[in-house]
Amino acid sequence: MSFDFRVTHTEERARRGVMTTAHGVVETPAFMPVGTQGAVKGVTHRDLESLGAEILLSNTYHLYLRPGDDLIARRGGLHRFIGWNKPILTDSGGYQVFSLSARRTVDEKGAHFRSHLDGSSHSLTPEKAADIQAQLGSDITMVLDECLAHPAAADVAHLSMTRTLRWARRARDRFLALRDGIVSDVVVSNPGQAQFGIVQGSVFPELREESARHTVDIGFEAYAIGGLSVGEPTDVMYDVVSKTTPFLPADRPRYLMGAGTPEDLVEAVARGVDLFDCVLPTRNARNGQLFTSAGRINIKNARYAEDDRPADPTCACYTCRTASRAYLRHLFLAGEINAGTLNTLHNLNFYLDTLRRIREAIAFRRFESFRLAFHESLSRQPLES
């Protein structure tokens, strides 16, 4: 099955669509739970399927270091290795290299870093990132890009953006060589792979436009907006997204990498974005923070010690059907593994259900009404500390 994307409904800039991959179909806008090392922390693939997850994100950097892309290729590719038969997107490892600022250097060839596991030295080039992902056999692969921290000066951002463009050209050439069977020493575990280009340019609209135009000229199956959710104010992120999506093809998916809160997802959809990933629902769950229709709650707070209500009375997930706030608080304070699992199930359900409701709203041309009601509902309860 080859990669394809079709927009089925629109409302202003919001889009609903169907993305077809080698391992199945994804309805967009879609949220991808983050399975860094081939697993979403705290839950099973059975749980994810019951929640309606159609696509997972896995991490190239971590899987390369452990257990190794060679081993995964010998096991038949990532889908077979982890027992997930639906679509998988793998990142390039660029963000992890960015976050390892004390352990890496970057030059024209690529990124050079020391493993966080054992201190061993490694180099990640655009070609190497493509090779690793070919062996993993994901359905969607990302080019290696350079991600800058915020704030960044305009001249620094320009140099970084143009380097990302040069890397993108090299990554595309390597991807096509792998697809055409020209490379003999790399196992291509999934012949139906697609490759996404990444738009960079920090918070500067003119750099984002330049990056988008040149990345589209290279020619990828789809395009991502990278380099956001790295410390910039929320309104700045929204502005950058709003000024970038018009330069991306309307007939290709648009992926906002690493963002964000439920509010961010709604606002990015309003600006024409189709795909999302973020660690917030799972990470915050393990720290006791739950996303609800009335705002976020921290389940460890004493006010919930004798609260028999579910985390979110409007939610139909397994956690809200079976566990009270009092019980969730007890599990969290007792350090029970089940606390992370139940909290994660709820948070992922909230994210995935929010995207389901967005798709439905767009189909019936009620997205703007949904958007206003969503923000109003979340604003009724202040964020808890």
Side-chain angles (χ1 to χ4, degrees), residues 16-148:
R16 177 172 180 171
V18 177
M19 182 175 72
T20 303
T21 77
H23 283 85
V25 170
V26 178
E27 292 190 64
T28 64
F31 178 78
M32 299 179 283
V34 177
T36 299
Q37 302 190 75
V40 177
K41 288 181 172 61
V43 295
T44 67
H45 295 335
R46 180 182 62 187
D47 295 324
L48 295 171
E49 290 178 354
S50 71
L51 293 172
E54 293 183 329
I55 180 171
L56 298 185
L57 180 144
S58 286
N59 187 280
T60 295
Y61 166 85
H62 287 281
L63 293 173
Y64 159 68
L65 292 178
R66 182 177 56 192
D69 53 300
D70 289 333
L71 183 148
I72 291 174
R74 293 195 297 272
R75 306 275 69 74
L78 189 58
H79 292 85
R80 183 176 178 185
F81 182 60
I82 70 174
W84 175 261
N85 295 320
K86 295 183 178 183
I88 298 174
L89 180 147
T90 48
D91 57 23
S92 67
Y95 181 82
Q96 283 64 45
V97 171
F98 151 76
S99 65
L100 293 171
S101 57
R103 292 173 169 265
R104 56 95 170 128
T105 59
V106 176
D107 58 26
E108 188 62 26
K109 184 176 181 181
H112 315 282
F113 61 93
R114 301 185 70 83
S115 166
H116 71 285
L117 297 175
D118 58 12
S120 56
S121 296
H122 301 268
S123 290
L124 190 62
T125 66
E127 295 82 6
K128 180 67 174 177
D131 291 352
I132 295 169
Q133 292 177 89
Q135 299 215 126
L136 295 177
S138 53
D139 299 284
I140 297 171
T141 72
M142 306 303 299
V143 299
L144 182 66
D145 62 324
E146 184 176 8
C147 183
L148 290 181

Side-chain angles (χ1 to χ4, degrees), residues 226-248:
L228 294 176
S229 294
V230 292
E232 76 282 354
T234 300
D235 60 333
V236 172
M237 178 179 72
Y238 294 166
D239 184 61
V240 170
V241 172
S242 184
K243 291 177 179 176
T244 302
T245 52
F247 299 105
L248 300 177

Side-chain angles (χ1 to χ4, degrees), residues 318-347:
Y318 174 81
T319 300
C320 289
R321 294 197 314 270
T322 61
S324 67
R325 296 179 181 185
Y327 182 51
L328 293 175
R329 178 177 185 270
H330 159 67
L331 291 176
F332 185 83
L333 294 180
E336 287 287 345
I337 294 174
N338 284 0
T341 295
L342 290 170
N343 292 347
T344 299
L345 285 172
H346 169 76
N347 279 357

